[in-house]
Amino acid sequence: DLVSPAMFNFPVLVDVRTVRATSFVVVVISILLIIFRHHKWAWWVTFGMTLDFGARIMFGGSGSMAGSLGLVLTSLFEEELVPGPPKQFAAAVGFFFYGFATILDHTGHDGDATTIGGSIMMGIIAFFAFLESSINFCAGCFVFGYLVKYGVVKNTIYQPYTDSYEYTNFALTSWNAKVG
């Protein structure tokens, strides 16, 4: 039986256009949260974004609200599939940055250094999400490549792409069934 090697049910292949659209959604939400960080609802949205990144780590874009919106925005375009594990790592980095921003925002008081620190964390995410959405540069994927190169992550993470035509065809079919 062919099973995804990644954590939980993250897709083996992801559509780069959907990832870029999702990154654009993250940019917009992050900027709005920085601007309106003094409002009480902003902390809840920040917390929600942390959970959204967590859902993307476990299930891919189809498991999160931002990812689902990205999927809707790109549904009329032809897929351009790329390996999923680097994108999963990038989502994990986003989870930790947004999680840290949530903690800083929750523990700080209005105008406090901790709430400013939370805004800085969201600004960093917004910057790298902007790079992903505008010029297709995934900083998490870049770092992931070096982790594989230096043996921190085993290069067998990419094995599904080189094992056989059967596995690649299965991955494409299962991905299309999820989004189709």
Side-chain angles (χ1 to χ4, degrees):
D1 193 18
L2 300 170
V3 180
S4 170
M7 185 168 52
F8 301 106
N9 196 20
F10 196 89
V12 175
L13 300 168
V14 295
D15 180 15
V16 73
R17 289 182 177 93
T18 302
V19 171
R20 290 179 74 179
T22 304
S23 295
F24 179 74
V25 171
V26 170
V27 170
V28 171
I29 292 172
S30 298
I31 290 171
L32 290 173
L33 286 171
I34 292 168
I35 292 170
F36 296 109
R37 73 173 187 263
H38 301 295
H39 295 273
K40 291 182 182 190
W41 57 262
W43 182 84
W44 289 103
V45 176
T46 304
F47 180 69
M49 285 298 292
T50 303
L51 295 178
D52 191 76
F53 272 101
R56 273 186 266 159
I57 292 168
M58 294 186 290
F59 308 112
S62 62
S64 80
M65 292 299 288
S68 295
L69 183 56
L71 188 61
V72 167
L73 293 173
T74 60
S75 63
L76 297 178
F77 298 101
E78 189 174 328
E79 292 181 318
E80 184 180 330
L81 298 174
V82 296
K87 300 298 183 185
Q88 186 178 29
F89 176 77
V93 172
F95 173 78
F96 285 111
F97 269 84
Y98 250 101
F100 193 51
T102 302
I103 292 168
L104 289 174
D105 281 350
H106 184 65
T107 58
H109 301 292
D110 197 26
D112 195 335
T114 54
T115 58
I116 294 169
S119 294
I120 290 170
M121 293 292 110
M122 286 184 270
I124 291 169
I125 287 294
F127 173 73
F128 286 111
F130 175 75
L131 290 178
E132 172 81 45
S133 65
S134 62
I135 62 171
N136 198 21
F137 174 74
C138 175
C141 301
F142 181 77
V143 171
F144 188 82
Y146 277 103
L147 292 174
V148 171
K149 179 179 178 180
Y150 293 117
V152 177
V153 175
K154 293 182 180 181
N155 64 357
T156 56
I157 192 94
Y158 291 110
Q159 192 171 3
Y161 315 109
T162 59
D163 266 1
S164 68
Y165 171 78
E166 179 185 331
Y167 192 94
T168 304
N169 190 40
F170 169 78
L172 288 170
T173 304
S174 66
W175 173 249
N176 287 330
K178 283 183 182 180
V179 295

